[in-house]
Amino acid sequence: MLRRFLYILSFVVLTSCSVFNLNRKRPVVTSRPIPFSSLNRISYSADSLKNVRTIESMKPDFVENLDNQTSSITIPFIEIPLGVKVVEQAKDYLGCKYKGGGSGPDRFDCSGFTSFIYRKFGVELHRSSGDQWLDGEEIKDRKTLIPGDLVYFNGYAVGSRIGHVGIVTEPDPKTGEFYFIHAAIHGGIRIDHSTDYYYKVRYKGARRIFN
């Protein structure tokens, strides 16, 4: 009788454990990408970290190599480069109209726009595009351009003095070409590419404000 009772009791306990495991909450894996930098200084389980998709698509190698037995890990702080912040700030003004001599907050000329954006980061640039060529350090190799660098162009006449300036948004380190945001007479604040003929033949150089 006692043996039968113990058998029934063990069956009930095993069944309960199985139901409990089935009802346990599993880690929620979202398909929506999130910035890896948003994981700063927070502890996560090893399994959940492996399932995180990041906007940068560049999780550190140690995440993929985590032992499944690891209970948690603290992500170190990842600083966003100032140049990237400059670009994101500049994009907030896409579509604003061009105005000769304009320096914001809703109408700009080219150097007025670059000055306005960099001022938000505590940097005072010269007012004209020609004088802004004196700011920062010259970049001699276009393949080393990074977001936030300033790029300079001739004015209307090819081969003339510097008459236009913009901010690099997306450089291509393989070709040296780049997208840049600027205040254009036609279109206001917009993004163009260095291979567009008008800018390709007028390109003069680039300078870096943040080292």
Side-chain angles (χ1 to χ4, degrees):
M1 186 71 178
L2 178 59
R3 179 177 296 178
R4 183 177 183 183
F5 172 78
L6 291 175
Y7 175 81
I8 295 173
L9 180 61
S10 63
F11 177 80
V12 171
V13 170
L14 288 173
T15 303
S16 299
C17 290
S18 298
V19 172
F20 174 77
N21 286 330
L22 288 174
N23 292 330
R24 287 182 64 188
K25 292 183 178 179
R26 291 178 170 79
V28 176
V29 179
T30 175
S31 61
R32 180 182 178 185
I34 60 175
F36 188 74
S37 56
S38 69
L39 304 180
N40 294 344
R41 302 189 185 285
I42 303 177
S43 293
Y44 289 85
S45 69
D47 288 336
S48 63
L49 271 176
K50 289 182 179 180
N51 289 322
V52 171
R53 292 173 57 237
T54 70
I55 288 176
E56 294 89 343
S57 299
M58 52 181 295
K59 288 182 292 186
D61 293 338
F62 68 77
V63 173
E64 299 299 338
N65 297 325
L66 282 175
D67 187 335
N68 287 330
Q69 301 302 315
T70 304
S71 59
S72 66
I73 186 169
T74 299
I75 302 300
F77 180 77
I78 299 175
E79 181 64 31
I80 299 175
L82 278 172
V84 174
K85 294 180 181 179
V86 166
V87 170
E88 292 307 307
Q89 183 71 65
K91 287 181 178 179
D92 286 343
Y93 296 87
L94 281 169
C96 285
K97 294 183 177 181
Y98 180 91
K99 179 182 179 181
S103 56
D106 55 356
R107 294 173 183 268
F108 306 89
D109 64 11
C110 65
S111 55
F113 179 61
T114 52
S115 296
F116 177 81
I117 295 300
Y118 266 94
R119 189 174 297 116
K120 290 179 175 291
F121 295 88
V123 177
E124 287 292 335
L125 300 178
H126 286 83
R127 181 56 182 86
S128 71
S129 57
D131 287 340
Q132 282 184 13
W133 179 252
L134 302 174
D135 295 316
E137 296 181 0
E138 184 177 5
I139 301 168
K140 296 184 178 180
D141 184 356
R142 279 173 51 166
K143 292 182 178 180
T144 64
L145 288 171
I146 61 175
D149 287 341
L150 297 182
V151 282
Y152 302 82
F153 307 86
N154 292 143
Y156 289 113
V158 176
S160 64
R161 62 186 179 81
I162 290 173
H164 193 63
V165 61
I167 301 171
V168 174
T169 58
E170 297 178 49
D172 185 338
K174 293 182 179 180
T175 64
E177 304 298 347
F178 54 89
Y179 285 95
F180 65 104
I181 187 170
H182 62 128
I185 293 178
H186 301 292
I189 305 303
R190 52 186 281 181
I191 293 177
D192 284 298
H193 196 261
S194 59
T195 56
D196 294 343
Y197 181 77
Y198 182 89
Y199 300 106
K200 180 178 181 179
V201 299
R202 289 173 172 80
Y203 178 78
K204 292 291 288 185
R207 299 186 75 84
R208 181 161 300 153
I209 306 303
F210 294 129
N211 290 322

